Amino acid sequence: MQNLERMRELIQTIKEADEAYYKYDAPIMADLDYDRLYDELAALERETGTILSSSPTQRVSGEVLESLTAVRHTRPMLSADKCKSVADIHKYLGGHEAVLSWKLDGLTLVLRYENGKLAQAITRGDGLQGEDVTHTVRIMKNVPLVIPCKEPLEVRGEGVISWKEFHALNGTLDEPYAHPRNLAAGSVRKLNAEEVRERGLSFMAFDLISDNLGGSTKWETLRFLAQMGFTTVGYSILAAGASEEAVRQAMDFYQPKEYAYPTDGLIFEFNDLAYGRSLGATGHHENRMTAFKWPDTRYETKFRRLEVATTRTGMISLTAVFDDVVIDGTTVNHAYLHNLDNFTRLALGPGDTISVYKANMIIPQIAENKTKSGGCPLPDVCPCCGSTLVVRQSSGGTRQLYCDNEACPARLVRKFVHFCSKTRMEIKGLDEQTLTTFVQHGWVKNYGDLYELERHKEEILKTPGFGEKSFARLQKAVDERRTCTLNQFIAALGIPEVGRHAGRILNRKFGGSWDAFERAILDQFDFTQLEDFGQVMNDNIYCWYSDEEEAKLWRPALNHITFLKEETTMPEAQNNPFAGKTVVATGKLENYTRDGIQMKLLSLGARPASSVSKKTDYLIVGENAGSKLTKAQTLGVTTLTEQQFLQMLADAGIEA
């Protein structure tokens, strides 16, 4: 009776984990814990001889989101059984030839083709029906939309994102994902395909569903898929009669730490397709294949503290900091806890003995807290602004801490990114990911703080990815931007509609002086008097200047910046056809960026403008010119191709 009760508990716990993982892409437990519970349930089923109808060992996990159309699979999509040792693998193969391949860790997909064209893409779902995700799969970078074969067929594979693209993209998202698997799943299942276009997802084919295509062996099937234009999963052939040592050596070639994509093991499948089919299947897995998962070695260490940071959405990230431990040749001392539920479950306290591991040999995670003192208090205020934190529950049932203060500096990361960007203050090294870290920890709360990073040097050096040399490079980049022109600073402030072009006009008007610009605002200067300035821009300047909260962000920077007067004309360039002329550039130019052509016109003594009017003397026309060209033709403004512009410069003896 106790065994049956325990089995019911395990089924319910695994069901909740499956729903969070598959339906909401928000895992509530580590893979190691899930596998442990699953194995315990399977062992109890063998021991008791009883299998309950709701057991996850008899079905494939997964749920269908209500917001996507459900589609039934032509054949059930089952899982693979598991072997835990090389000896088990050798015994399973029984001397038969097999194909060894990566077990990719992403979102399993089915692609249906009709008359040589992609007709539908479906997720695995619960194995019997999945979700129609054709709209997002069509824009994955390596999915063939048309193939040479005109017969109906289905291709099964994995939607994955590389580790490199995962780390680059994750730092730009409002709520970072814990693993590439979740990012791939969350991306493929988005309703708006445009949000997925830049995420770099790939499709790796591993199976063909067809009665008469692909040949009689697994190797021939994979070769056929490659000929059709699919990227196939990496694989190799294990010869018939391979010894246990030969199997081990073949497996040693597959090193997950060196592989570009996330993987959680290896797949062994019989090469003879007819033999594989003859082995049948259970309700959970097909007997033609088995999976091997690398064991996650645990390492004991001591928990020291909880690192709390505020994200751009106001969500509070919780990271465990512990004594250094070397895993797979790298020193590890941080592990992200994912959510409040994991923090509560672990009951962490300073000095607790914990065991840690690298999930899939990549991501550090806490497997267990052996002490569970619970001495680490739950944070109750935002580390960035000091506001009281609240607990929110996601649609998947997981709890997270949030800061609800809309004015919290952590929510202003994008403004910091804008301020530091290449075409504004151009502070190298302060990219979005770095700024997010600095803001989350409360080291940067206004633009002035960017120039006082030395105050937090000791803490920054403890941050993963930072060392003495990288900090020195960053400090040098900041120091180089303690001097700037007025137009650079104004463009960096993020005043609505007042960008680089407007900044140059203001720079000329006020002689590069911030004091003169600010005095004009205090004297109620009418900015509509300036070329290309309308009432909206005028009002935006005054609205921005009167915003006290906004002033707290930018005014401290004035204590660290010296303004330089920018020479906008060159003496030798006064005798040229563009000196004193109003010139507009439109379309894509071959030899200049948008900013570059503006600077060139300024150096010629011209007045670069952003819109065409009766006062415009020349319109330089590039590729894909639009309404500005039409308006110029209507007004009779002289239009120049880029080559004509360059020729006029050459005729005047001026370099392009």
Side-chain angles (χ1 to χ4, degrees), residues 82-99:
K82 289 184 290 186
C83 289
K84 295 187 175 182
S85 67
V86 177
D88 289 342
I89 293 291
H90 182 254
K91 181 180 178 181
Y92 166 81
L93 294 177
H96 291 275
E97 186 178 47
V99 172

Side-chain angles (χ1 to χ4, degrees), residues 301-592:
T301 184
K302 296 287 186 181
F303 172 80
R304 293 304 174 190
R305 60 186 174 87
L306 183 69
E307 192 172 88
V308 182
T310 310
T311 67
R312 292 190 300 275
T313 61
M315 188 187 78
I316 306 299
S317 69
L318 305 174
T319 302
V321 181
F322 42 84
D323 290 345
D324 289 355
V325 58
V326 178
I327 304 178
D328 297 329
T330 59
T331 300
V332 176
N333 48 34
H334 287 67
Y336 182 49
L337 298 180
H338 303 300
N339 53 56
L340 183 56
D341 297 307
N342 281 337
F343 171 78
T344 303
R345 176 180 60 82
L346 289 168
L348 296 165
D352 283 3
T353 298
I354 61 174
S355 60
V356 299
Y357 70 104
K358 277 190 176 181
N360 300 336
M361 300 186 179
I362 300 291
I363 300 176
Q365 291 191 9
I366 297 178
E368 180 185 9
N369 181 3
K370 297 184 177 181
T371 308
K372 289 200 169 185
S373 69
C376 183
L378 181 69
D380 56 2
V381 296
C382 173
C384 197
C385 70
S387 298
T388 301
L389 299 178
V390 298
V391 177
R392 292 185 194 167
Q393 186 165 310
S394 72
S395 55
T398 58
R399 296 181 304 147
Q400 298 280 12
L401 283 173
Y402 275 86
C403 169
D404 275 345
N405 178 15
E406 292 292 336
C408 178
R411 293 172 174 257
L412 304 178
V413 169
R414 294 197 182 280
K415 291 191 176 183
F416 284 97
V417 172
H418 178 87
F419 184 85
C420 298
S421 63
K422 183 176 180 180
T423 54
R424 274 75 183 180
M425 291 300 288
E426 195 177 3
I427 304 179
K428 297 177 181 177
L430 285 179
D431 55 19
E432 185 165 3
Q433 188 170 356
T434 300
L435 285 166
T436 298
T437 300
F438 287 5
V439 171
Q440 286 175 346
H441 287 82
W443 302 331
V444 172
K445 297 181 180 179
N446 58 63
Y447 297 153
D449 289 340
L450 297 171
Y451 298 90
E452 297 183 355
L453 294 176
E454 187 71 31
R455 293 186 303 163
H456 305 286
K457 179 179 179 180
E458 186 175 332
E459 296 166 289
I460 292 173
L461 291 179
K462 295 178 182 177
T463 305
F466 264 94
E468 288 283 356
K469 290 184 178 179
S470 56
F471 182 83
R473 286 195 299 270
L474 178 57
Q475 192 63 57
K476 180 182 178 183
V478 170
D479 290 341
E480 288 174 351
R481 288 297 175 264
R482 292 183 185 275
T483 56
C484 71
T485 59
L486 179 63
N487 50 288
Q488 282 180 304
F489 189 68
I490 288 176
L493 292 174
I495 306 171
E497 308 294 332
V498 182
R500 291 172 291 169
H501 176 65
R504 294 190 191 98
I505 295 172
L506 293 171
N507 185 68
R508 288 200 303 270
K509 172 64 179 177
F510 299 108
S513 169
W514 171 266
D515 291 337
F517 171 61
E518 189 168 18
R519 190 163 52 249
I521 296 175
L522 295 173
D523 291 342
Q524 297 298 301
F525 177 77
D526 182 4
F527 289 95
T528 62
Q529 299 175 29
L530 303 179
E531 185 178 5
D532 287 342
F533 268 74
Q535 191 62 48
V536 172
M537 293 171 69
N538 179 83
D539 294 346
N540 285 348
I541 290 175
Y542 282 101
C543 182
W544 160 81
Y545 189 80
S546 63
D547 188 329
E548 294 182 1
E549 290 301 318
E550 192 74 18
K552 292 177 183 177
L553 186 65
W554 59 263
R555 190 167 288 282
L558 295 175
N559 297 323
H560 303 277
I561 291 175
T562 300
F563 290 96
L564 300 174
K565 288 190 176 181
E566 183 179 59
E567 292 295 333
T568 58
T569 61
M570 297 189 303
E572 65 270 24
Q574 292 306 297
N575 296 320
N576 72 76
F578 301 103
K581 303 294 185 181
T582 299
V583 184
V584 177
T586 186
K588 183 179 180 181
L589 302 177
E590 291 184 11
N591 297 282
Y592 300 96

Side-chain angles (χ1 to χ4, degrees), residues 131-144:
E131 306 149 346
D132 189 324
V133 289
T134 312
H135 63 302
T136 53
V137 170
R138 287 180 65 86
I139 62 175
M140 289 171 66
K141 61 184 182 181
N142 67 336
V143 170

